[in-house]
Amino acid sequence: MLLEGKVAIVTGGGGGIGASTSKAMAREGARVALLDIDHAAAAQVAQDIRDSGRESIAIEVDVSDAIAVDAAVDEVLSAYGRVDVLFNNAGIIRRTNILDTNVDDWDLVMGVNVRSVFLVSRRVIPIMAAQGGGSIVNTGSGWGLKGGDNAISYCASKGAVVNMSRALAIDHGSQGIRVNSVNPGDVLTQMVRDEARQLGQDEIAFRDQAADRPLGRMGTPDEVAEAVVWLASDRASYITGASIVVDGGGTA
């Protein structure tokens, strides 16, 4: 039970990597609060966790809204009294180059992918510091470590998340707070389907292309979840400021 007795917040917990990680954290003993703008999806994941005999709540929140974020974290504190783990996972993608990216889409991607990490971390870090420590894991991307085609806003946002994680690790290590990023490659989630649609490509062909990496396949949300749970746990007690890549060798 790697997270026995701990309270975890997962943003974007309603689907994909967020849902798998929420369930994995619950299996490892954590009480899990799912923050998601899609309340129905998050509520279903929370119900699945409760049906398994663990504790979970779902909170509807736009994680790019500062007031809403503060209120959501207050709700977690009211329910569970502490926060030990934060998984900043909420994210979206727009597959366009700079000439085809409008300002609204740029702001939307930056709001969900970067501003949310800033807002939720800013609210949670004082809580963790008062408790004597905690663990924050932020979802970066292989494209946060190298460039990619037709994804200018996404690449910029994930590069920001990776380096923000390093900066947070430096600033708050003395408070016992570890901060790392997990950087998936292509993973079988709804986001991949959205990418294929945005690029006007056949989904199967798009997935086959994404599988062109040393392990010869795309990843699964559960495989990313295992890395996140380990980083969040005391098993990774001397790891902070790291960028852990989970991509089947795609950036090798």
Side-chain angles (χ1 to χ4, degrees):
M1 303 292 282
L2 295 179
L3 301 176
E4 184 68 42
K6 297 185 184 297
V7 173
I9 291 176
V10 178
T11 71
I17 292 170
S20 290
T21 302
S22 296
K23 293 177 180 180
M25 287 179 170
R27 286 194 300 271
E28 292 294 342
R31 291 172 288 173
V32 185
L34 290 75
L35 276 55
D36 203 306
I37 199 167
D38 186 344
H39 186 256
Q44 183 58 62
V45 175
Q47 185 62 56
D48 291 343
I49 291 172
R50 291 193 295 271
D51 288 345
S52 73
R54 303 294 179 185
E55 294 185 54
S56 182
I57 57 173
I59 302 171
E60 183 177 0
V61 58
D62 175 355
V63 289
S64 68
D65 182 319
I67 295 173
V69 163
D70 287 350
V73 175
D74 286 345
E75 191 170 338
V76 176
L77 287 176
S78 178
Y80 297 137
R82 60 187 296 117
V83 180
D84 303 283
V85 174
L86 168 60
F87 181 33
N88 282 309
N89 170 72
I92 59 172
I93 191 169
R94 292 293 181 268
R95 291 299 305 267
T96 53
N97 63 36
I98 196 167
L99 300 180
D100 295 329
T101 301
N102 61 54
V103 172
D104 288 342
D105 276 348
W106 174 272
D107 289 345
L108 179 63
V109 171
M110 289 297 172
V112 176
N113 294 5
V114 183
R115 180 180 168 90
S116 70
V117 177
F118 162 70
L119 291 176
V120 186
S121 298
R122 183 181 67 168
R123 180 66 181 88
V124 166
I125 283 172
I127 299 168
M128 290 182 170
Q131 295 169 178
S135 177
I136 298 174
V137 183
N138 299 320
T139 299
S141 168
W143 280 0
L145 304 170
K146 56 171 286 188
D149 64 294
N150 290 307
I152 185 70
S153 58
Y154 183 80
C155 291
S157 71
K158 291 304 183 178
V161 169
V162 171
N163 218 30
M164 193 191 320
S165 302
R166 298 185 183 116
L168 288 169
I170 292 168
D171 286 343
H172 300 287
S174 63
Q175 297 168 305
I177 300 171
R178 297 184 299 105
V179 187
N180 297 287
S181 66
V182 63
N183 297 276
D186 289 304
V187 177
L188 288 164
T189 65
Q190 182 59 45
M191 182 177 286
V192 168
R193 300 183 184 93
D194 291 343
E195 287 185 74
R197 176 182 52 78
Q198 290 174 30
L199 293 169
Q201 296 184 12
D202 175 75
E203 182 184 331
I204 301 301
F206 184 82
R207 288 167 56 179
D208 288 344
Q209 181 182 5
D212 184 17
R213 56 194 63 233
L215 290 187
R217 63 178 178 84
M218 298 178 66
T220 68
D222 287 345
E223 289 175 312
V224 180
E226 291 296 327
V228 176
V229 169
W230 177 73
L231 283 173
S233 77
D234 293 339
R235 293 269 181 95
S237 59
Y238 199 55
I239 299 176
T240 194
S243 305
I244 305 299
V245 180
V246 186
D247 73 345
T251 54

